Amino acid sequence: AAPPPLASGAPSPRRPPATIRPADASSLSAAALISSAAEDGCDLPFPPERAPHHRELAAAAASVERACRLCVDVKRSLLSGGRKILEKNDQSPVTIADFGVQALISFELQQLFPSIPLVAEEDSTFLKSSNPDDNSGNVLIESISSAVADKVKNSGSPLTHDDVLRAIDRGGKDAVSFDSNPATYWVLDPIDGTKGFLKGDDALYVVGLALVVNGKVAVGVMGCPNWTNGTTANKKEENLDPCPGNGILMVSHVCCGTWSRHLSPEIGQFTTAQDVWKRCFVDACSVVHMARFCIPDSQTWNMIPLSVLFDSTTDESDTRDENKILLRYACCGSLCKYIMVASGRASVFFSRARVNTQIKAWDHAVGMICVQEAGGQISDWSGEPLDLAADLTGRRILYPSGGVLVTNGALHDKLVELISANYK
């Protein structure tokens, strides 16, 4: 088999914002598709003159919103039965929606920006390895193709099963190899929090897409179909919700801030007025024991170094003192915790690195820019920035010392100091 293409990481000269163009928008068809993406309701809350990657963000936001519609439809169909829930080799669940979202977003990005590679969670190996005797593989691929065809923006011929499989594999681990130079590429988590996706209607899951430009996250979009103004909040906090209503679309562009609006009810009913976007900011808490903390659902408070100093409670009515902190739960996945911090619903997100468990880039890349542009800060437990290029050729794995620390900024240095003093 031929080796995967080498994604050159050589930085390109920075052009003035007024003349920035996507690398592949020279063709009329690509330009028309990008214009169409903007017409589909992805007008952004800041002008192109301020945002060198405005077109990429507009296209990404439109694609993520369509992907959220796919998730909602597939989740509804899960109630009707059928083999739509699968299990990967690591025993983690994966659904038709995971594959469908990756195929949809991969296909649309390739049409618009064919020179920008994609790093994503899934590939089609699992689908192709299904038992050929019972025709299950063909049934799964047919279901995925049907879900994608119903939502994808495609001005060409109808997608074949092979088109869908190729779109999935464009983000797979063998699709591209990077070199040691800063690289430009998309990072996609088709569904962060698949376990949450499989739970009740109020369980959170996120479609997350980021654009890394010359080694730095420049653009981010997160869609959370089940976010509501009551998500993890009590009534006193409802006025803090950046996006009242069902579902949230959060976008971020370097030096332009983080913004959110609620998801459109249906495809074709996009809202375009700039006043529907609301600027997101982290909270202003600067006292550790008064902060609101999040941790992964697979971890417990006693795994966090601060547990030697503070007890925890999940009851917001509990009286807190200098020895107790509030622990908030936001269901499965990491990206919903980033939304919590970026929107001011939580002050801190801790995640501990664990032996034999890899920390994946797609679980953090888009969250990083959304929190940073909202005024927060992200590092490993030693205070060092997360290195997206630590996985030199794949750009798929992160190696943070100790774990990942996401904060509102005001607490960051103090928490790094406390971790350093209590982490062994």
Side-chain angles (χ1 to χ4, degrees), residues 45-135:
F46 39 81
E49 293 76 17
R50 288 181 51 203
H53 309 290
H54 192 276
R55 291 180 174 180
E56 289 90 335
L57 180 56
S63 194
V64 167
E65 186 151 28
R66 277 187 284 274
C68 288
R69 292 296 117 207
L70 184 154
C71 290
V72 170
D73 287 352
V74 170
K75 184 165 185 175
R76 186 180 301 121
S77 74
L78 290 174
L79 300 176
S80 64
R83 191 183 174 214
K84 298 181 176 71
I85 304 172
L86 316 170
E87 194 173 82
K88 294 189 285 188
N89 292 334
D90 61 0
Q91 312 306 309
S92 61
V94 62
T95 71
I96 283 174
D98 293 82
F99 291 114
V101 167
Q102 183 157 320
L104 183 152
I105 292 178
S106 172
F107 178 83
E108 293 187 351
L109 293 180
Q110 186 177 33
Q111 299 307 299
L112 296 171
F113 314 106
S115 66
I116 303 179
L118 173 68
V119 172
E121 183 172 9
E122 310 297 347
D123 62 46
S124 71
T125 303
F126 180 84
L127 297 172
K128 295 173 182 176
S129 65
S130 297
N131 186 353
D133 296 332
D134 61 7
N135 200 37

Coordinates of all heavy atoms in Angstrom, one line a residue, residues 45-135:
P45 N -20.7 36.9 14.1 CA -21.0 38.2 14.9 C -19.8 39.2 14.8 O -19.8 40.2 15.5 CB -21.1 37.7 16.3 CG -20.3 36.4 16.4 CD -20.5 35.8 15.0
F46 N -18.9 38.9 13.8 CA -17.8 39.8 13.6 C -17.5 39.8 12.1 O -17.7 38.8 11.4 CB -16.5 39.5 14.4 CG -16.3 38.0 14.5 CD1 -15.7 37.3 13.5 CD2 -16.7 37.3 15.6 CE1 -15.4 35.9 13.5 CE2 -16.4 35.9 15.7 CZ -15.8 35.3 14.7
P47 N -17.0 40.9 11.5 CA -16.8 41.0 10.1 C -15.6 40.3 9.6 O -14.7 40.1 10.3 CB -16.7 42.6 9.9 CG -16.1 43.1 11.1 CD -16.7 42.2 12.2
P48 N -15.6 40.0 8.3 CA -14.4 39.3 7.7 C -13.1 40.1 7.9 O -12.0 39.5 8.0 CB -14.8 39.1 6.2 CG -16.3 39.2 6.2 CD -16.7 40.1 7.3
E49 N -13.2 41.4 7.9 CA -12.0 42.2 8.0 C -11.3 42.0 9.3 O -10.1 42.2 9.3 CB -12.4 43.7 7.9 CG -12.9 44.1 6.5 CD -14.4 43.7 6.3 OE1 -15.0 43.3 7.3 OE2 -14.8 43.7 5.1
R50 N -12.0 41.6 10.3 CA -11.3 41.3 11.6 C -10.9 39.9 11.7 O -10.1 39.6 12.7 CB -12.3 41.6 12.7 CG -12.6 43.1 13.0 CD -13.6 43.2 14.1 NE -13.1 42.5 15.3 CZ -13.9 42.1 16.3 NH1 -15.2 42.3 16.2 NH2 -13.4 41.4 17.3
A51 N -11.3 39.0 10.8 CA -11.1 37.5 11.0 C -10.5 36.9 9.8 O -11.2 36.6 8.8 CB -12.5 36.9 11.4
P52 N -9.2 36.6 9.8 CA -8.6 36.1 8.6 C -9.2 34.7 8.2 O -9.1 34.4 7.0 CB -7.1 35.9 9.1 CG -6.9 36.9 10.2 CD -8.2 37.0 10.9
H53 N -9.8 34.0 9.1 CA -10.3 32.7 8.8 C -11.9 32.7 8.9 O -12.5 31.7 9.3 CB -9.7 31.6 9.7 CG -8.2 31.7 9.8 ND1 -7.5 31.3 8.7 CD2 -7.4 32.1 10.7 CE1 -6.2 31.5 9.0 NE2 -6.1 32.0 10.2
H54 N -12.4 33.8 8.6 CA -13.9 34.0 8.6 C -14.6 33.0 7.8 O -15.6 32.4 8.2 CB -14.2 35.4 8.2 CG -15.6 35.9 8.5 ND1 -16.7 35.6 7.6 CD2 -16.1 36.6 9.5 CE1 -17.8 36.1 8.1 NE2 -17.5 36.8 9.2
R55 N -14.1 32.8 6.6 CA -14.8 31.8 5.7 C -14.7 30.4 6.2 O -15.7 29.7 6.1 CB -14.2 31.9 4.3 CG -14.5 33.2 3.6 CD -13.8 33.3 2.2 NE -14.2 34.5 1.5 CZ -13.8 34.8 0.2 NH1 -13.0 33.9 -0.4 NH2 -14.2 35.9 -0.4
E56 N -13.6 30.0 6.7 CA -13.5 28.7 7.2 C -14.4 28.5 8.4 O -15.1 27.5 8.6 CB -12.0 28.4 7.7 CG -11.0 28.3 6.6 CD -10.4 29.6 6.1 OE1 -11.0 30.6 6.4 OE2 -9.3 29.5 5.6
L57 N -14.5 29.5 9.3 CA -15.4 29.4 10.4 C -16.9 29.4 10.0 O -17.7 28.6 10.6 CB -15.1 30.6 11.4 CG -16.0 30.7 12.7 CD1 -15.8 29.4 13.5 CD2 -15.6 31.9 13.5
A58 N -17.2 30.2 9.0 CA -18.6 30.2 8.6 C -19.0 28.8 8.0 O -20.1 28.3 8.3 CB -18.8 31.3 7.5
A59 N -18.1 28.2 7.2 CA -18.4 26.9 6.7 C -18.4 25.8 7.8 O -19.3 24.9 7.8 CB -17.3 26.5 5.6
A60 N -17.5 26.0 8.7 CA -17.4 25.0 9.8 C -18.7 25.1 10.7 O -19.3 24.0 11.1 CB -16.2 25.2 10.7
A61 N -19.2 26.3 11.0 CA -20.4 26.4 11.8 C -21.6 25.8 11.1 O -22.4 25.2 11.7 CB -20.6 27.9 12.1
A62 N -21.7 26.1 9.8 CA -22.8 25.5 9.0 C -22.8 24.0 9.0 O -23.8 23.3 9.2 CB -22.8 26.0 7.6
S63 N -21.6 23.5 8.9 CA -21.4 22.0 8.8 C -21.7 21.4 10.2 O -22.4 20.3 10.3 CB -20.0 21.7 8.4 OG -19.9 20.3 8.0
V64 N -21.3 22.0 11.3 CA -21.5 21.4 12.6 C -23.0 21.5 12.9 O -23.6 20.6 13.5 CB -20.7 22.2 13.7 CG1 -21.2 21.9 15.1 CG2 -19.2 21.8 13.5
E65 N -23.7 22.6 12.5 CA -25.1 22.7 12.8 C -25.9 21.6 12.0 O -26.8 21.0 12.6 CB -25.6 24.0 12.4 CG -27.1 24.2 12.8 CD -27.5 25.7 13.1 OE1 -26.8 26.6 12.6 OE2 -28.4 25.9 13.9
R66 N -25.5 21.3 10.8 CA -26.1 20.2 10.1 C -25.8 18.9 10.7 O -26.7 18.0 10.8 CB -25.6 20.2 8.6 CG -26.4 21.1 7.7 CD -26.0 20.9 6.2 NE -24.7 21.5 5.9 CZ -24.6 22.8 5.6 NH1 -25.6 23.6 5.5 NH2 -23.4 23.2 5.3
A67 N -24.6 18.7 11.2 CA -24.3 17.5 11.9 C -25.1 17.3 13.2 O -25.5 16.2 13.6 CB -22.8 17.5 12.3
C68 N -25.4 18.4 13.9 CA -26.2 18.3 15.1 C -27.6 17.8 14.7 O -28.2 17.0 15.5 CB -26.3 19.7 15.8 SG -24.8 20.1 16.7
R69 N -28.1 18.3 13.6 CA -29.5 17.8 13.1 C -29.4 16.3 12.9 O -30.3 15.6 13.2 CB -29.9 18.5 11.8 CG -30.2 20.0 12.0 CD -31.4 20.2 12.9 NE -31.0 21.0 14.1 CZ -31.6 20.9 15.2 NH1 -32.6 20.1 15.4 NH2 -31.2 21.6 16.2
L70 N -28.3 15.8 12.3 CA -28.1 14.4 12.0 C -28.2 13.7 13.3 O -28.8 12.6 13.4 CB -26.8 14.2 11.3 CG -26.5 12.7 10.8 CD1 -25.6 12.7 9.6 CD2 -25.8 11.9 11.9
C71 N -27.5 14.2 14.3 CA -27.5 13.5 15.6 C -28.9 13.4 16.2 O -29.2 12.3 16.8 CB -26.6 14.3 16.6 SG -24.8 14.2 16.2
V72 N -29.6 14.5 16.2 CA -31.0 14.5 16.7 C -31.8 13.4 16.0 O -32.6 12.7 16.7 CB -31.6 15.9 16.6 CG1 -33.1 15.9 17.0 CG2 -30.8 16.9 17.5
D73 N -31.7 13.4 14.7 CA -32.5 12.4 14.0 C -32.1 11.0 14.3 O -33.0 10.1 14.4 CB -32.4 12.7 12.5 CG -33.2 13.9 12.0 OD1 -33.9 14.5 12.9 OD2 -33.0 14.4 10.9
V74 N -30.8 10.7 14.3 CA -30.4 9.4 14.6 C -30.8 9.0 16.0 O -31.2 7.8 16.3 CB -28.8 9.2 14.4 CG1 -28.3 7.9 15.0 CG2 -28.5 9.4 12.9
K75 N -30.6 9.9 17.0 CA -31.0 9.6 18.3 C -32.5 9.2 18.4 O -32.9 8.3 19.1 CB -30.7 10.7 19.3 CG -30.9 10.4 20.7 CD -30.3 11.4 21.7 CE -30.5 11.0 23.1 NZ -29.8 11.9 24.1
R76 N -33.3 9.9 17.7 CA -34.7 9.6 17.7 C -35.0 8.2 17.1 O -35.8 7.5 17.6 CB -35.5 10.7 16.8 CG -37.0 10.6 16.9 CD -37.6 11.6 16.0 NE -37.3 13.0 16.5 CZ -36.6 13.9 15.7 NH1 -36.3 13.6 14.5 NH2 -36.4 15.0 16.2
S77 N -34.2 7.9 16.1 CA -34.4 6.6 15.4 C -33.9 5.4 16.3 O -34.3 4.3 16.2 CB -33.6 6.5 14.1 OG -32.2 6.4 14.3
L78 N -33.0 5.7 17.3 CA -32.5 4.7 18.2 C -33.7 4.0 19.0 O -33.7 2.9 19.4 CB -31.5 5.2 19.2 CG -30.2 5.6 18.7 CD1 -29.3 6.3 19.8 CD2 -29.4 4.4 18.1
L79 N -34.7 4.8 19.2 CA -35.9 4.3 20.0 C -36.7 3.3 19.2 O -37.4 2.5 19.8 CB -36.8 5.5 20.3 CG -36.2 6.6 21.1 CD1 -37.2 7.8 21.3 CD2 -35.8 6.1 22.5
S80 N -36.5 3.2 17.9 CA -37.2 2.3 17.0 C -36.4 0.9 16.9 O -36.9 0.1 16.2 CB -37.5 2.8 15.6 OG -36.2 3.1 15.0
G81 N -35.3 0.8 17.6 CA -34.5 -0.4 17.5 C -33.6 -0.5 16.4 O -33.3 0.5 15.7
G82 N -33.1 -1.7 16.1 CA -32.1 -1.8 15.0 C -30.7 -1.7 15.5 O -30.5 -1.2 16.6
R83 N -29.8 -2.2 14.7 CA -28.4 -2.2 15.2 C -27.7 -0.9 14.9 O -27.0 -0.8 13.9 CB -27.6 -3.4 14.5 CG -26.3 -3.6 15.2 CD -25.5 -4.7 14.5 NE -24.2 -4.8 15.1 CZ -23.1 -5.1 14.4 NH1 -23.2 -5.4 13.2 NH2 -21.9 -5.1 15.0
K84 N -27.9 0.0 15.7 CA -27.4 1.4 15.5 C -26.3 1.7 16.6 O -25.7 2.7 16.6 CB -28.4 2.4 15.5 CG -29.4 2.2 14.3 CD -30.5 3.3 14.3 CE -31.4 3.2 13.1 NZ -32.3 2.0 13.2
I85 N -26.2 0.9 17.6 CA -25.2 1.0 18.7 C -24.2 -0.1 18.5 O -24.5 -1.3 18.6 CB -25.8 1.0 20.1 CG1 -27.0 2.0 20.2 CG2 -24.8 1.2 21.1 CD1 -27.8 1.9 21.5
L86 N -22.9 0.3 18.4 CA -21.8 -0.7 18.2 C -20.8 -0.5 19.3 O -20.9 0.4 20.1 CB -21.2 -0.4 16.8 CG -22.2 -0.1 15.7 CD1 -21.4 0.4 14.5 CD2 -23.0 -1.3 15.3
E87 N -19.8 -1.4 19.3 CA -18.8 -1.3 20.3 C -17.5 -1.5 19.7 O -17.2 -2.5 18.9 CB -19.0 -2.4 21.4 CG -18.2 -2.2 22.6 CD -18.6 -3.2 23.7 OE1 -18.1 -4.4 23.7 OE2 -19.3 -2.9 24.6
K88 N -16.6 -0.6 19.9 CA -15.2 -0.6 19.3 C -14.3 -1.6 20.1 O -14.7 -2.1 21.1 CB -14.6 0.8 19.2 CG -15.4 1.7 18.3 CD -14.7 3.0 18.1 CE -14.8 4.0 19.2 NZ -14.3 5.3 18.9
N89 N -13.1 -1.8 19.6 CA -12.2 -2.7 20.2 C -11.9 -2.3 21.7 O -11.5 -3.2 22.5 CB -10.9 -2.8 19.4 CG -11.2 -3.5 18.1 OD1 -12.1 -4.3 17.9 ND2 -10.3 -3.2 17.1
D90 N -11.9 -1.0 22.0 CA -11.6 -0.6 23.4 C -12.9 -0.6 24.2 O -12.9 0.0 25.3 CB -11.0 0.8 23.4 CG -11.9 1.9 22.8 OD1 -13.0 1.5 22.4 OD2 -11.5 3.0 22.7
Q91 N -13.9 -1.2 23.7 CA -15.2 -1.4 24.5 C -16.0 -0.1 24.6 O -17.0 0.0 25.2 CB -15.0 -2.0 25.9 CG -14.1 -3.2 25.9 CD -14.6 -4.3 25.0 OE1 -15.7 -4.7 25.0 NE2 -13.7 -4.8 24.2
S92 N -15.5 1.0 23.9 CA -16.3 2.2 23.9 C -17.4 2.2 22.9 O -17.2 1.6 21.8 CB -15.4 3.4 23.6 OG -14.8 3.3 22.4
P93 N -18.5 2.8 23.2 CA -19.7 2.7 22.2 C -19.4 3.7 21.1 O -18.8 4.7 21.2 CB -20.8 3.2 23.1 CG -20.3 4.1 24.1 CD -18.9 3.5 24.4
V94 N -20.0 3.3 19.9 CA -20.0 4.2 18.8 C -21.3 3.9 18.0 O -21.8 2.8 18.0 CB -18.8 3.9 17.9 CG1 -18.8 2.4 17.3 CG2 -18.7 4.9 16.7
T95 N -21.9 5.0 17.4 CA -23.2 4.8 16.8 C -23.1 5.3 15.3 O -22.1 5.8 14.9 CB -24.2 5.7 17.5 OG1 -23.9 7.1 17.2 CG2 -24.2 5.5 19.0
I96 N -24.2 5.0 14.7 CA -24.3 5.5 13.3 C -24.1 7.0 13.2 O -23.5 7.6 12.3 CB -25.7 5.1 12.7 CG1 -25.7 3.6 12.4 CG2 -26.0 6.0 11.5 CD1 -27.0 3.1 11.9
A97 N -24.5 7.7 14.3 CA -24.3 9.2 14.3 C -22.8 9.6 14.3 O -22.4 10.5 13.7 CB -25.0 9.8 15.5
D98 N -21.9 8.8 15.1 CA -20.5 9.1 15.1 C -19.9 9.1 13.7 O -19.2 10.0 13.2 CB -19.8 8.1 16.0 CG -20.1 8.2 17.4 OD1 -21.1 7.6 17.8 OD2 -19.4 8.8 18.2
F99 N -20.2 8.0 13.0 CA -19.7 7.8 11.6 C -20.4 8.8 10.7 O -19.7 9.4 9.8 CB -20.0 6.4 11.1 CG -19.2 5.3 11.8 CD1 -19.8 4.4 12.6 CD2 -17.8 5.3 11.7 CE1 -19.0 3.4 13.3 CE2 -17.0 4.3 12.3 CZ -17.6 3.4 13.1
G100 N -21.7 9.0 10.8 CA -22.4 9.9 10.0 C -21.9 11.4 10.1 O -21.7 12.1 9.1
V101 N -21.7 11.8 11.3 CA -21.2 13.2 11.5 C -19.8 13.3 10.9 O -19.5 14.3 10.2 CB -21.1 13.5 13.0 CG1 -20.3 14.8 13.3 CG2 -22.5 13.7 13.6
Q102 N -18.9 12.3 11.1 CA -17.6 12.4 10.5 C -17.6 12.5 9.0 O -16.9 13.2 8.3 CB -16.7 11.3 11.0 CG -15.3 11.4 10.5 CD -14.3 10.7 11.3 OE1 -14.4 10.7 12.6 NE2 -13.3 10.0 10.7
A103 N -18.5 11.6 8.4 CA -18.6 11.6 6.9 C -19.2 12.9 6.4 O -18.6 13.5 5.5 CB -19.5 10.5 6.5
L104 N -20.2 13.5 7.1 CA -20.8 14.7 6.6 C -19.8 15.9 6.7 O -19.6 16.6 5.7 CB -22.0 15.0 7.5 CG -22.9 16.2 7.1 CD1 -24.3 16.0 7.6 CD2 -22.3 17.5 7.8
I105 N -19.2 16.1 7.8 CA -18.3 17.2 8.0 C -17.0 17.0 7.1 O -16.6 18.0 6.5 CB -17.9 17.4 9.5 CG1 -19.1 17.8 10.3 CG2 -16.8 18.4 9.6 CD1 -18.9 18.0 11.7
S106 N -16.5 15.8 7.1 CA -15.3 15.6 6.2 C -15.6 15.9 4.8 O -14.8 16.5 4.1 CB -14.9 14.1 6.4 OG -13.9 13.8 5.4
F107 N -16.8 15.4 4.3 CA -17.1 15.6 2.9 C -17.3 17.1 2.6 O -16.7 17.6 1.6 CB -18.4 14.9 2.5 CG -18.9 15.1 1.1 CD1 -18.4 14.3 0.1 CD2 -19.9 16.1 0.8 CE1 -18.8 14.5 -1.2 CE2 -20.3 16.3 -0.5 CZ -19.7 15.5 -1.5
E108 N -18.0 17.8 3.4 CA -18.2 19.2 3.2 C -16.9 20.0 3.2 O -16.7 20.9 2.4 CB -19.2 19.8 4.2 CG -20.6 19.2 4.0 CD -21.7 19.9 4.8 OE1 -21.3 20.7 5.7 OE2 -22.9 19.6 4.6
L109 N -16.1 19.7 4.2 CA -14.8 20.4 4.3 C -13.9 20.1 3.1 O -13.2 21.0 2.6 CB -14.0 20.0 5.6 CG -14.7 20.5 6.9 CD1 -13.8 20.0 8.1 CD2 -14.9 22.0 6.9
Q110 N -13.9 18.9 2.6 CA -13.1 18.5 1.4 C -13.6 19.3 0.2 O -12.7 19.7 -0.6 CB -13.1 17.0 1.2 CG -12.2 16.6 0.1 CD -12.1 15.1 -0.1 OE1 -13.2 14.4 0.1 NE2 -11.0 14.6 -0.4
Q111 N -14.9 19.5 0.1 CA -15.4 20.2 -1.1 C -14.9 21.7 -1.1 O -14.6 22.3 -2.1 CB -16.9 20.2 -1.1 CG -17.5 18.8 -1.2 CD -17.0 18.0 -2.4 OE1 -17.1 18.4 -3.5 NE2 -16.4 16.9 -2.0
L112 N -14.8 22.2 0.1 CA -14.4 23.6 0.2 C -13.0 23.9 0.4 O -12.4 24.8 -0.2 CB -15.2 24.2 1.5 CG -16.7 24.3 1.4 CD1 -17.2 24.7 2.8 CD2 -17.2 25.2 0.3
F113 N -12.3 23.0 1.1 CA -10.9 23.2 1.5 C -10.1 21.9 1.2 O -9.6 21.3 2.2 CB -10.7 23.7 2.9 CG -11.7 24.8 3.3 CD1 -12.8 24.5 4.1 CD2 -11.5 26.1 2.8 CE1 -13.7 25.5 4.5 CE2 -12.4 27.1 3.2 CZ -13.5 26.8 4.0
P114 N -10.0 21.4 0.0 CA -9.4 20.1 -0.2 C -7.9 20.0 0.2 O -7.4 18.9 0.4 CB -9.6 19.9 -1.7 CG -9.7 21.3 -2.3 CD -10.4 22.1 -1.2
S115 N -7.2 21.1 0.3 CA -5.8 21.1 0.7 C -5.5 21.0 2.2 O -4.4 20.8 2.6 CB -5.0 22.3 0.1 OG -5.5 23.5 0.7
I116 N -6.6 21.1 3.0 CA -6.4 21.1 4.4 C -6.8 19.7 4.9 O -8.0 19.3 4.8 CB -7.3 22.1 5.1 CG1 -7.0 23.5 4.6 CG2 -7.1 22.1 6.6 CD1 -7.8 24.6 5.2
P117 N -5.9 18.9 5.5 CA -6.2 17.6 6.0 C -7.1 17.6 7.2 O -7.2 18.7 7.9 CB -4.8 17.0 6.3 CG -3.9 18.1 6.5 CD -4.5 19.3 5.7
L118 N -7.6 16.4 7.5 CA -8.5 16.3 8.7 C -8.0 15.2 9.6 O -7.5 14.1 9.2 CB -9.9 15.8 8.2 CG -10.9 15.5 9.2 CD1 -11.3 16.7 10.0 CD2 -12.1 14.8 8.6
V119 N -7.9 15.6 10.9 CA -7.6 14.6 12.0 C -8.9 14.4 12.8 O -9.4 15.3 13.4 CB -6.5 15.2 12.9 CG1 -6.3 14.3 14.1 CG2 -5.2 15.4 12.1
A120 N -9.4 13.1 12.8 CA -10.6 12.8 13.4 C -10.6 11.5 14.1 O -9.7 10.7 13.9 CB -11.8 12.9 12.3
E121 N -11.7 11.2 14.9 CA -11.6 10.1 15.8 C -11.9 8.7 15.0 O -11.2 7.7 15.4 CB -12.7 10.2 16.8 CG -12.7 9.1 17.9 CD -13.7 9.4 19.0 OE1 -14.4 10.4 19.0 OE2 -13.6 8.6 20.0
E122 N -12.7 8.7 14.1 CA -13.2 7.4 13.5 C -12.5 7.1 12.2 O -11.9 7.9 11.5 CB -14.7 7.4 13.3 CG -15.5 7.9 14.5 CD -15.4 7.0 15.7 OE1 -14.8 5.9 15.6 OE2 -15.8 7.4 16.8
D123 N -12.5 5.8 11.8 CA -12.3 5.4 10.4 C -13.2 4.2 10.1 O -13.9 3.8 11.0 CB -10.8 5.0 10.2 CG -10.3 3.8 11.1 OD1 -11.1 2.8 11.2 OD2 -9.3 3.9 11.7
S124 N -13.2 3.8 8.9 CA -14.2 2.8 8.4 C -13.8 1.4 8.6 O -14.5 0.4 8.3 CB -14.5 3.0 7.0 OG -13.4 2.6 6.1
T125 N -12.6 1.1 9.2 CA -12.1 -0.2 9.4 C -13.1 -1.1 10.2 O -13.4 -2.2 9.8 CB -10.8 -0.2 10.2 OG1 -9.8 0.6 9.5 CG2 -10.3 -1.6 10.4
F126 N -13.7 -0.5 11.2 CA -14.7 -1.2 12.0 C -15.9 -1.6 11.2 O -16.4 -2.8 11.3 CB -15.1 -0.4 13.2 CG -16.1 -1.0 14.1 CD1 -15.7 -1.9 15.1 CD2 -17.5 -0.8 14.0 CE1 -16.6 -2.5 15.9 CE2 -18.4 -1.4 14.8 CZ -18.0 -2.3 15.8
L127 N -16.3 -0.7 10.3 CA -17.5 -1.0 9.5 C -17.2 -2.1 8.5 O -18.0 -3.0 8.2 CB -18.0 0.3 8.8 CG -18.4 1.4 9.6 CD1 -18.6 2.7 8.8 CD2 -19.7 1.1 10.4
K128 N -16.0 -2.0 7.9 CA -15.7 -3.0 6.8 C -15.4 -4.4 7.4 O -15.5 -5.4 6.7 CB -14.4 -2.5 6.1 CG -14.7 -1.2 5.3 CD -13.4 -0.7 4.7 CE -13.6 0.6 3.9 NZ -12.3 1.1 3.4
S129 N -15.1 -4.4 8.7 CA -14.8 -5.7 9.4 C -16.0 -6.4 9.9 O -15.9 -7.4 10.6 CB -13.8 -5.5 10.5 OG -14.3 -4.7 11.5
S130 N -17.2 -5.8 9.8 CA -18.4 -6.4 10.3 C -18.6 -7.8 9.6 O -18.2 -8.0 8.5 CB -19.6 -5.5 10.0 OG -19.5 -4.3 10.7
N131 N -19.4 -8.7 10.3 CA -19.6 -10.0 9.8 C -20.2 -10.1 8.4 O -21.3 -9.6 8.2 CB -20.5 -10.8 10.8 CG -20.6 -12.2 10.5 OD1 -20.1 -12.7 9.5 ND2 -21.3 -13.0 11.4
P132 N -19.5 -10.6 7.4 CA -20.0 -10.6 6.0 C -21.1 -11.6 5.9 O -21.9 -11.5 4.9 CB -18.8 -11.0 5.2 CG -17.9 -11.8 6.1 CD -18.1 -11.2 7.5
D133 N -21.2 -12.6 6.7 CA -22.2 -13.6 6.6 C -23.6 -13.1 6.8 O -24.6 -13.6 6.2 CB -21.9 -14.8 7.5 CG -20.6 -15.5 7.2 OD1 -20.2 -15.4 6.0 OD2 -20.0 -16.0 8.1
D134 N -23.8 -12.1 7.7 CA -25.1 -11.7 8.0 C -25.5 -10.3 7.4 O -26.5 -9.7 7.7 CB -25.4 -11.6 9.5 CG -24.4 -10.6 10.2 OD1 -23.7 -9.9 9.5 OD2 -24.4 -10.6 11.4
N135 N -24.6 -9.9 6.5 CA -24.8 -8.7 5.7 C -24.9 -7.4 6.6 O -25.4 -6.4 6.2 CB -26.1 -8.8 4.9 CG -26.2 -7.8 3.8 OD1 -25.1 -7.5 3.1 ND2 -27.3 -7.2 3.5

